Amino acid sequence: MPKLVLEEIAVRFGTYDALKRVSFSVEEGAFVTLLGPSGCGKTTLLNVIAGFVQPLSGQIFIDGRNVTALSPERRDTAMCFQSYALFPHLSVARNIAFGPRQKKLAQMETARRVASLLKTFELEAHAEKLPNALSGGQQQRVALARALAVAPGLVLFDEPLSNLDAKLRDQVRHEIRALQRDLGFTALYVTHDQAEALALSDTVYLLNQGVIEQAGSPRQIYFQPKTRFVADFIGAANLHSGPIVDGVMMTPFGPLQVNAADKDHALVCWRPEVVRLGGPLSGRAAESAFQGAYSDVFVTAEKETVRLQLPGRNRIVPGAAVSFAIAPEDVVLLEESDHG
């Protein structure tokens, strides 16, 4: 039985449709990410699952139980907020103990959970400190420990790392994933950061204008985007449009081989890192940006530009002629999206 099932969830604010009949399920112990730009509906969907927003229509099931009409405290969930939402006047230990005490757990069981979580999150030395004495990363650990203290079946994360600097964000991201695997809880994670989604998730749901544009593993979403919106939003993508004749699309850079049937009009994409130097495609380097392990080289032809990601040892100067090739299996035929 899935841990979470959503059936045809719709939410409207005034005349604005925030969610349009969204359905999906999450398996026990999975790490699932809701990804998308601002305003796509991902946080609204998380709030619906938590019970903070009532859907216009549709149903929510947790462990097979219909929780659509239940208040947040009666659902088997816990929320980790973007702002951490720690109680500033309570110590770390008392913040963690808050949930179990609200649920009237026995004092000995509450103490056991607090001690265990302090050890798990390496917070024992900070147990009596107030939140304002902690770093951002430590506060995030306290927020996660507090959520787990009530032993929820489903932990909801609302962009929990957005307030951290880049280095600390990477560190805490890896900690969250390692803890989720070790402790086995089911996670639903909201972010607009594609790197977080790709690094953390078993499954990614990419939302666009209140609908799921595509769902799949991080590799599927990245290497097999279905629409232009997905290709553009996840990573970098080079796009070409035109007819396909005998498995070839003519582009300003030359003939691009495509593993697809002939079409009068098609839209295709390929990722910058799949390119190899030398081949039937060519143009002139307009710009090159050295990134260490690789260089981004922007190549133009007939007022169009593509981005190549090449090993950093390749030094290509602006104005140089560049020839390159793309394997047909690396060229993806895209669908037309009604909302992208």
Side-chain angles (χ1 to χ4, degrees):
M1 178 190 298
K3 186 69 183 179
L4 171 70
V5 176
L6 302 184
E7 294 182 351
E8 302 284 306
I9 297 296
V11 173
R12 181 177 295 156
F13 299 120
T15 59
Y16 173 67
D17 289 316
L19 294 170
K20 306 168 187 174
R21 303 172 70 87
V22 172
S23 300
F24 67 85
S25 62
V26 177
E27 295 300 315
E28 180 85 37
F31 199 115
V32 172
T33 296
L34 304 177
L35 175 67
S38 297
C40 70
K42 57 188 185 296
T43 297
T44 298
L45 187 53
L46 197 74
N47 286 330
V48 167
I49 295 165
F52 301 139
V53 171
Q54 190 66 25
L56 177 69
S57 60
Q59 298 183 97
I60 308 151
F61 297 86
I62 297 177
D63 289 325
R65 182 175 66 131
N66 191 331
V67 301
T68 312
L70 297 185
S71 59
E73 65 273 13
R74 296 178 63 196
R75 306 185 184 202
D76 187 22
T77 63
M79 179 82 87
C80 277
F81 295 96
Q82 178 179 345
S83 61
Y84 315 139
L86 299 176
F87 297 110
H89 61 290
L90 298 183
S91 68
V92 167
R94 292 177 67 194
N95 261 283
I96 297 172
F98 182 83
R101 286 175 177 165
Q102 288 292 103
K103 289 183 176 289
K104 303 191 185 310
L105 262 66
Q107 190 171 348
M108 286 186 63
E109 174 60 16
T110 297
R112 185 196 68 78
R113 289 191 187 185
V114 171
S116 175
L117 288 163
L118 286 170
K119 183 176 181 180
T120 297
F121 287 89
E122 299 180 354
L123 291 166
E124 291 167 299
H126 308 289
E128 298 308 316
K129 292 181 181 178
L130 295 178
N132 64 8
L134 305 178
S135 68
Q138 289 165 341
Q139 289 184 47
Q140 181 57 71
R141 291 191 194 111
V142 177
L144 183 53
R146 186 180 64 180
L148 294 178
V150 296
L154 180 62
V155 181
L156 309 174
F157 294 89
D158 185 14
E159 305 207 40
L161 308 185
S162 59
N163 290 332
L164 304 181
D165 62 52
K167 185 175 180 180
L168 188 55
R169 188 161 60 241
D170 285 347
Q171 176 189 331
V172 178
R173 180 178 75 196
H174 292 307
E175 288 177 357
I176 288 175
R177 186 53 161 138
L179 282 163
Q180 186 267 336
R181 287 193 176 112
D182 290 345
L183 300 177
F185 60 84
T186 306
L188 195 62
Y189 191 99
V190 161
T191 184
H192 64 273
D193 186 321
Q194 57 180 278
E196 281 183 20
L198 296 177
L200 286 168
S201 313
D202 297 312
T203 302
V204 176
Y205 288 93
L206 181 54
L207 275 74
N208 180 26
Q209 297 183 23
V211 301
I212 295 173
E213 187 87 6
Q214 186 172 345
S217 71
R219 288 182 180 276
Q220 288 171 331
I221 294 285
Y222 185 81
F223 286 113
Q224 298 170 339
K226 288 185 176 180
T227 66
R228 181 182 192 130
F229 173 82
V230 179
D232 276 339
F233 190 81
I234 302 288
N238 297 300
L239 296 115
H240 306 283
S241 62
I244 298 174
V245 180
D246 296 331
V248 173
M249 177 182 285
M250 292 304 302
T251 76
F253 304 89
L256 182 69
Q257 288 191 298
V258 184
N259 285 340
D262 289 3
K263 294 187 69 172
D264 291 336
H265 183 270
L267 180 65
V268 300
C269 79
W270 49 274
R271 297 295 187 187
E273 66 272 19
V274 303
V275 72
R276 63 174 175 81
L277 288 177
L281 304 168
S282 63
R284 291 205 171 270
E287 185 182 347
S288 179
F290 178 66
Q291 302 290 331
Y294 66 91
S295 291
D296 279 323
V297 180
F298 296 88
V299 177
T300 62
E302 298 179 19
K303 297 184 179 180
E304 288 196 21
T305 302
V306 292
R307 175 180 176 179
L308 316 184
Q309 198 171 89
L310 303 171
R313 64 179 177 272
N314 290 301
R315 188 169 185 270
I316 297 177
V317 298
V322 180
S323 64
F324 56 98
I326 312 293
E329 58 268 24
D330 290 326
V331 181
V332 180
L333 182 67
L334 301 175
E335 302 170 2
E336 295 296 333
S337 171
D338 292 332
H339 17 264

